Amino acid sequence: MAGRTHDFLIVSKAILPEAILKTAEAKELLVKGDVDTINDAVERVGLSRSAYYKYKDGVFPFYEASRERIITISLALENKAGVLSHVLNFIASVKGNILTINQGIPLQGIANVSVSLETAEMADTPENLLTGLGKIHGVRKIEVIGQT
């Protein structure tokens, strides 16, 4: 692992220390323009400036990490006519550029599909893309399996 310049993990917020979560929250306030200064941001979220500076370069939302990148998602879809079509149409509707689609033979009524897509031109965040895909009838499971 040594020598790699970009080592990232996707980690649930539920297991992160409070200082990291508050750093992300402070950065979001700054990006949205809800506060003018770092001092205002850390004061609002209840974080010390030293903790903010310690974590600020290593904490960012999933959508920021995957903007202008290629992400590969795995989906478990019900084996019903139109489900994959709805998934692909939704990705197209948010301007995700589909690069590859791989679908396995359905087993026990579930088809496993992997889709790789570019996110650079998307009208929304990859995070919201995943949320939207999860709302499609027939989508049973979604998982990000890789990103570049």
Side-chain angles (χ1 to χ4, degrees):
M1 293 282 183
R4 290 176 29 181
T5 58
H6 292 88
D7 289 333
F8 295 101
L9 301 171
I10 296 177
V11 179
S12 171
K13 286 181 176 181
I15 67 167
L16 291 174
E18 188 176 356
I20 292 175
L21 294 172
K22 287 184 175 187
T23 300
E25 190 178 346
K27 288 180 68 172
E28 189 71 18
L29 290 172
L30 288 161
V31 167
K32 288 181 176 179
D34 292 343
V35 294
D36 294 325
T37 67
I38 291 170
N39 282 338
D40 293 340
V42 296
E43 186 175 302
R44 185 175 298 180
V45 300
L47 180 70
S48 70
R49 283 175 34 99
S50 62
Y52 175 83
Y53 283 109
K54 179 178 181 179
Y55 296 119
K56 74 175 182 67
D57 293 328
V59 176
F60 41 90
F62 170 73
Y63 69 83
E64 188 178 310
S66 37
R67 260 285 173 223
E68 300 184 20
R69 296 178 183 264
I70 297 170
I71 61 172
T72 302
I73 55 176
S74 172
L75 303 108
L77 306 178
E78 292 178 9
N79 185 29
K80 294 183 180 174
V83 175
L84 179 58
S85 177
H86 288 300
V87 166
L88 300 177
N89 286 335
F90 181 78
I91 293 170
S93 76
V94 296
K95 296 187 169 86
N97 182 27
I98 297 172
L99 303 173
T100 64
I101 304 167
N102 295 300
Q103 179 177 357
I105 295 173
L107 299 172
Q108 299 175 350
I110 299 293
N112 290 307
V113 178
S114 66
V115 178
S116 295
L117 60 126
E118 278 184 314
T119 62
E121 301 298 319
M122 281 190 5
D124 207 343
T125 66
E127 200 169 52
N128 288 339
L129 167 76
L130 298 176
T131 300
L133 288 172
K135 293 178 181 177
I136 296 172
H137 184 70
V139 174
R140 292 276 189 95
K141 183 179 176 185
I142 305 167
E143 185 177 359
V144 176
I145 57 175
Q147 63 179 332
T148 60

